[in-house]
Amino acid sequence: MMTFILFLVALAGLLIVMRREAGAMPAIGVMVAVGIVSWIFGSGWLTLVLFLGAGATAAAGLPGFRQGWLTPKIFAMFKKVAPKVSATEKVALEAGTVGWDGELFTGQPNWRSLLSNRHDGLREEEQAFVDNQCTEAISMCNAWDLAIERADLPKELWDFLKKEKFFGMIIPKEFGGLGFSAKAQTAVLQKLAANEMLMVSVGVPNSLGPGELLVKYGTDEQKNHYLPRLADGRDIPCFGLTGPRAGSDATSIPDTGIVCKGKFNGKEVVGIKLNFEKRWITLAPIATVVGLAFRMFDPDGLLGKEKDIGITCALIPRDTKGMEIGRRHCPIGQPFMNGPIKGKDVFIPLDYIIGGQDMAGEGWRMLVECLSVGRCITLPSGAAGIAAYTAGTSGGFTRVRRQFNTPVADMEGVQEPLARIAGKTYIAQSAVNHTANMIDQGEKPAVPSAILKYHLTEFQRDVLTDAMDVHGGKAVTLGPRNYLGTSFSGAAVSITVEGANIMTRSLMIFGQGAIRCHPYVLKELAAKDADDIQAFDKAFFGHAGLIFGNAARSFTQALGLGRAEVPFDSASRRYAQALSRFSAAFGLCSDAAMTTLGSELKMRELISARLGDMLSNLYLGSMVLKNWHEGQPAQGERELMEYSMTLLLNRIERALDEFLNNMPNRAVALVLRGITLPLGRRWHEPADDLTRKIARAVSTDTPIRSKLLAGVWTTEGAGGIENPLAQYNGLLKDYDRAEKLYRKVTKAYAKGELPMTALHPEDRFEAALEADVFSKEEAEFMRKYEAVVLEMLTVDDFAFDEFASNKKAVIKHNAA
């Protein structure tokens, strides 16, 4: 018995040492101390085991011993098996910064570092712009009119966008722009997202485009000429990156620029002869200036010895000879301005290169650095805005749509998707707002940008699918009254552009994060490249300590022992502790995958994707907790926070379980399961009671509904287009009174107090007035209320040949 007790003491002591990553000496101390006590109590075999363990730990763990025999052997082996990092991968890895995403790799994230920079809202001028200019712009948009009737924004809207400098949000004020923060850009795009054509048209020039590249890399001459013109809309930019053979793999650009001599403005100069074919270029049909990425070569050595200069970015005026531009693609559901650009033997001078000749060959680095920020803002902000607007309309519709004499929002089959819509909206808003705040604090979040782009656009698709289901026939019938159909169709665009989601999930999130964010991997690779054995020794054995630490933290916290200390309130503390626990499990599994698969991990995309899912949901959960911690919770927000966190933790645990089920090394997988999931899966889908509460909250006039919708278009703006969400909000404000009167008239009809032929609500209201069931005031109120309800339920119809572009091909089926 004593031997068993001493064994447990030794185990507990070692677990404590490992959890704290205290190093070899404390571990040796624990084993020697317990070994001596074991010897005193006559437990010889335990004493032997502990002394042998202490000796092995000393030999392998103390620098004075290991550096003489163990480190050289490990270093030699590491050089053989370490993955080779290509030049393009190296640029991507070095781009951006590592912040909270790096903390999640440590297994013991420092929550105070996350909470140190509060989101304090927008500047006064920024908030005024969101409230006024954005409201007016979106109120000029009807989805059917823009997508079907015009396939464009109205001229008065283009003029307004230029006048109010919507295209100059990122351009500094000294160049005539608005100089907005990342938080403000996010807020603008969430407000405009009620119409995706408008959101994309504004978002893209402020994201990946010449404006951002010029601000960061342009010459003074380029900045002084172009930035004022881009800010006020005299120039409309586009950026040509993708082509028929270069989509998500932008490094495979086949477009060439050959350094040569040619004529420019009547003089012979050294320049570049371009041949290119680009497609899927947003704003290309109307652009006046084209940013272009191409592979630059100098076969004759006119610029120096380097023949293959590399990817380069240039800025080319629309009227440049040899460039074909103006044709359009038709993006599904949302025909925003998008089209191809071609060029044959287009000659440009060297000073068209963004940043001048010194930036030749730096295009890939420029693009990666810009993408890391732009991908965090445009599409994720649009997704969050679309989700919020959809949550508002879905809640409103399901409350006023009655079947079986009850609002469909009270049916549990409808409540489930309503709660999902609300939860994913809350997560998306938290993620974009607080990541934008990080950008304003100086971060350039490369890995979070991939997380937000993938997961929030997937949320957008999920939310719209659920919304289509709860709307039924209202949403599947296109027309001016349909506020969902074109957005639902257009969701595929967000899934595909700026890095296809399949690739982002399976390659980018974990593939980049595993090296970029890991506390030691990049240091180990750098030591290998520098052939620095001392640096390698420090990094490798620090890495080993991290592995043991994460194993100990994963196991003990999974058993409910030694939960992490977190600076959160009682409502959110257990969720932060769960994220800390899964952070340790994620770090341990990441190291196990990299160790057992080595360079093969690059090709095991399903394994990488599941690890990426764990990292992503850890990040999204962190943003939800930060949002909860910093805000003033509205009534009902606690339930929404709990729903969202339960959903994310369930997703983390499911990804962990699937990773363990499919890890190729089954022995290692079995050990990992015993460490990370010793009690099995514990986080289930949100409970039904929580689902009911959230569905009720989002479909009635509640504080949490108002808070969810605070950043989207909720008013009847100056542009004159009716806002369905404003109409629903008006109906919900009167819903309690209307519901009592619905019940009153239904009860009277059931009792036979009203004519049996009074089947329409309007007929019953009139009959109720005649029978003194309703007062005149009640009848008038219900007439007006039901008229708006009927309008919200009504769908459009058209002339028989309306949709045929070739009227001659229309068959007159019933012609006499």
Side-chain angles (χ1 to χ4, degrees):
M1 185 64 181
M2 180 58 69
T3 300
F4 181 68
I5 292 173
L6 290 171
F7 170 76
L8 291 180
V9 170
L11 180 61
L14 289 173
L15 283 173
I16 292 171
V17 170
M18 290 164 61
R19 278 175 57 97
R20 296 177 178 176
E21 297 178 33
M25 283 301 295
I28 294 168
V30 169
M31 287 186 279
V32 169
V34 179
I36 292 172
V37 175
S38 300
W39 178 72
I40 293 172
F41 281 93
S43 301
W45 69 267
L46 183 57
T47 302
L48 178 62
V49 169
L50 290 172
F51 281 3
L52 288 174
T57 303
L62 297 177
F65 292 123
R66 73 180 183 229
Q67 290 176 358
W69 70 280
L70 184 58
T71 302
K73 293 180 180 179
I74 297 174
F75 194 33
M77 184 182 301
F78 184 82
K79 288 179 178 179
K80 294 179 181 179
V81 301
K84 294 182 179 179
V85 180
S86 68
T88 53
E89 288 175 321
K90 188 174 181 181
V91 170
L93 289 172
E94 291 174 350
T97 58
V98 176
W100 181 246
D101 44 334
E103 288 287 336
L104 293 172
F105 267 87
T106 67
Q108 45 183 347
N110 180 358
W111 290 96
R112 296 190 186 280
S113 71
L114 176 67
L115 303 179
S116 61
N117 292 312
R118 291 182 58 86
H119 187 304
D120 292 324
L122 307 183
R123 301 194 302 264
E124 185 177 345
E125 62 178 306
E126 293 173 336
Q127 189 62 59
F129 187 89
V130 173
D131 293 340
N132 298 306
Q133 283 91 332
C134 290
T135 297
E136 185 167 353
I138 187 60
S139 65
M140 296 184 195
C141 298
N142 172 271
W144 175 264
D145 176 54
L146 270 57
I148 307 300
E149 301 288 351
R150 298 175 184 270
D152 196 356
L153 304 181
K155 182 180 185 304
E156 58 269 24
L157 179 52
W158 281 113
D159 292 342
F160 181 78
L161 296 175
K162 294 174 182 179
K163 172 177 171 288
E164 298 297 336
K165 302 185 178 181
F166 276 82
F167 302 124
M169 287 194 292
I170 65 168
I171 295 174
K173 291 183 177 180
E174 58 263 35
F175 294 106
L178 296 176
F180 276 0
S181 64
K183 295 193 294 288
Q185 295 172 52
T186 294
V188 166
L189 296 176
Q190 288 184 69
K191 189 68 166 278
L192 301 183
N195 186 275
E196 198 166 4
M197 281 182 67
L198 173 60
M199 187 277 295
V200 170
S201 298
V202 170
V204 170
N206 287 287
S207 176
L208 174 62
E212 187 174 10
L213 293 172
L214 283 169
V215 169
K216 293 183 177 179
Y217 310 107
T219 64
D220 289 341
E221 183 179 357
Q222 290 170 339
K223 291 179 180 180
N224 291 330
H225 175 74
Y226 278 114
L227 290 180
R229 298 176 62 84
L230 292 171
D232 62 20
R234 281 175 288 166
D235 273 328
I236 298 294
C238 70
F239 194 86
L241 178 60
T242 55
R245 291 185 173 86
S248 296
D249 179 14
T251 60
S252 64
I253 293 172
D255 308 295
T256 60
I258 308 299
V259 179
C260 62
K261 293 182 178 180
K263 288 291 182 94
F264 182 76
N265 289 340
K267 298 180 181 179
E268 186 176 74
V269 299
V270 175
I272 308 167
K273 183 172 68 176
L274 297 166
N275 286 281
F276 55 89
E277 183 177 358
K278 303 290 186 180
R279 65 183 180 193
W280 303 311
I281 311 305
T282 299
L283 295 184
I286 61 171
T288 61
V289 60
V290 177
L292 190 77
F294 57 91
R295 186 79 171 268
M296 186 171 171
F297 298 92
D298 184 14
D300 297 327
L302 296 178
L303 303 181
K305 295 181 180 180
E306 192 71 43
K307 304 294 184 183
D308 184 354
I309 295 175
I311 295 174
T312 302
C313 297
L315 205 55
I316 308 172
R318 180 188 182 96
D319 58 3
T320 300
K321 184 179 178 181
M323 185 161 64
E324 298 179 29
I325 186 171
R327 293 184 63 82
R328 294 182 65 174
H329 300 308
C330 184
I332 185 170
Q334 299 285 344
F336 54 88
M337 288 296 168
N338 185 278
I341 310 174
K342 298 180 182 179
K344 176 70 173 176
D345 294 337
V346 178
F347 184 79
I348 63 171
L350 292 174
D351 59 12
Y352 277 17
I353 296 173
I354 296 176
Q357 185 177 332
D358 291 343
M359 294 302 290
E362 297 294 323
W364 178 234
R365 177 173 65 85
M366 293 160 64
L367 292 171
V368 168
E369 289 179 352
C370 287
L371 277 171
S372 70
V373 174
R375 205 167 26 213
C376 262
I377 295 177
T378 302
L379 292 176
S381 299
I386 289 169
Y389 193 81
T390 302
T393 53
S394 297
F397 175 83
T398 56
R399 182 54 57 188
V400 303
R401 172 66 166 163
R402 303 176 70 85
Q403 294 286 275
F404 311 107
N405 288 323
T406 188
V408 299
D410 290 340
M411 299 177 179
E412 291 190 351
V414 173
Q415 289 174 339
E416 186 177 26
L418 274 182
R420 283 198 301 262
I421 290 170
K424 290 178 179 178
T425 297
Y426 189 69
I427 296 167
Q429 289 177 334
S430 300
V432 294
N433 292 337
H434 290 282
T435 303
N437 184 57
M438 292 178 185
I439 293 171
D440 287 333
Q441 300 298 329
E443 297 280 355
K444 296 179 180 179
V447 174
S449 75
I451 291 173
L452 264 60
K453 195 279 171 182
Y454 170 75
H455 285 277
L456 268 56
T457 56
E458 290 292 340
F459 280 4
Q460 173 186 341
R461 177 158 60 179
D462 295 343
V463 163
L464 288 166
T465 298
D466 278 336
M468 292 291 289
D469 287 349
V470 301
H471 276 80
K474 168 69 177 178
V476 299
T477 307
L478 287 175
R481 291 182 175 91
N482 189 326
Y483 45 79
L484 273 180
T486 56
S487 293
F488 173 75
S489 300
V493 175
S494 298
I495 297 299
T496 305
V497 300
E498 288 195 21
N501 276 11
I502 288 177
M503 181 206 72
T504 303
R505 175 176 180 254
S506 60
L507 291 177
M508 290 184 64
I509 294 174
F510 181 75
Q512 188 174 12
I515 297 177
R516 185 77 176 105
C517 301
H518 194 285
Y520 295 106
V521 169
L522 204 58
K523 295 176 183 177
E524 290 167 339
L525 292 173
K528 180 202 73 166
D529 293 340
D531 200 26
D532 187 341
I533 194 169
Q534 294 296 324
F536 177 80
D537 176 83
K538 183 177 180 180
F540 180 83
F541 286 95
H543 191 165
L546 177 68
I547 293 172
F548 284 113
N550 279 335
R553 286 186 287 270
S554 295
F555 181 68
T556 55
Q557 291 176 17
L559 297 176
L561 304 173
R563 290 191 177 98
E565 290 293 327
V566 296
F568 291 96
D569 64 12
S570 58
S572 58
R573 184 177 300 118
R574 74 187 190 101
Y575 300 114
Q577 290 172 333
L579 290 181
S580 292
R581 170 206 159 188
F582 283 122
S583 170
F586 164 71
L588 180 64
C589 291
S590 297
D591 282 318
M594 288 187 283
T595 301
T596 58
L597 290 171
S599 59
E600 185 187 348
L601 182 57
K602 270 188 179 182
M603 307 307 297
R604 303 301 295 264
E605 295 178 21
L606 294 176
I607 296 293
S608 178
R610 291 178 181 114
L611 289 169
D613 289 345
M614 289 184 68
L615 174 61
S616 298
N617 287 289
L618 284 166
Y619 183 86
L620 295 176
S622 305
M623 297 301 105
V624 170
L625 292 181
K626 187 173 190 291
N627 185 67
W628 168 263
H629 178 80
E630 294 182 4
Q632 293 295 324
Q635 181 183 348
E637 187 171 353
R638 175 169 178 166
E639 288 82 1
L640 188 54
M641 180 274 290
E642 290 176 344
Y643 181 98
S644 302
M645 289 306 305
T646 302
L647 178 69
L648 292 170
L649 286 163
N650 173 264
R651 287 159 60 101
I652 293 170
E653 200 168 56
R654 183 170 68 244
L656 172 59
D657 186 37
E658 292 174 355
F659 166 78
L660 296 173
N661 285 339
N662 292 279
M663 190 176 181
N665 190 316
R666 298 312 303 152
V668 173
L670 188 62
V671 172
L672 287 176
R673 183 173 291 278
I675 293 172
T676 60
L677 293 173
L679 301 179
R681 290 179 58 178
R682 311 291 288 177
W683 287 95
H684 305 294
E685 295 277 356
D688 291 352
D689 186 53
L690 203 53
T691 294
R692 286 190 289 269
K693 289 179 180 178
I694 291 168
R696 175 77 185 180
V698 80
S699 64
T700 53
D701 183 27
T702 59
I704 185 55
R705 174 184 165 90
S706 297
K707 188 169 184 177
L708 271 183
L709 305 185
V712 298
W713 181 36
T714 57
T715 59
E716 296 289 358
I721 301 297
E722 287 189 347
N723 181 1
L725 183 53
Q727 293 172 294
Y728 282 128
N729 284 345
L731 289 171
L732 294 188
K733 286 186 182 300
D734 290 332
Y735 169 73
D736 287 341
R737 183 184 180 190
E739 181 61 21
K740 290 177 183 177
L741 296 176
Y742 277 129
R743 291 176 183 175
K744 190 175 182 180
V745 77
T746 299
K747 186 177 181 180
Y749 182 81
K751 287 182 176 181
E753 296 174 4
L754 306 180
M756 66 177 65
T757 56
L759 299 178
H760 284 287
E762 295 85 351
D763 295 338
R764 290 187 182 180
F765 301 154
E766 299 307 321
L769 177 61
E770 292 180 11
D772 291 328
V773 174
F774 275 1
S775 67
K776 288 183 178 181
E777 183 185 3
E778 288 173 333
E780 182 61 22
F781 169 78
M782 288 306 294
R783 288 188 197 109
K784 293 179 179 179
Y785 188 88
E786 191 64 26
V788 180
V789 169
L790 183 60
E791 173 60 25
M792 301 314 294
L793 301 181
T794 299
V795 297
D796 298 287
D797 53 69
F798 302 87
F800 181 76
D801 62 352
E802 178 77 16
F803 307 117
S805 57
N806 180 4
K807 304 296 183 185
K808 295 180 180 179
V810 175
I811 301 171
K812 306 293 184 181
H813 290 274
N814 296 305

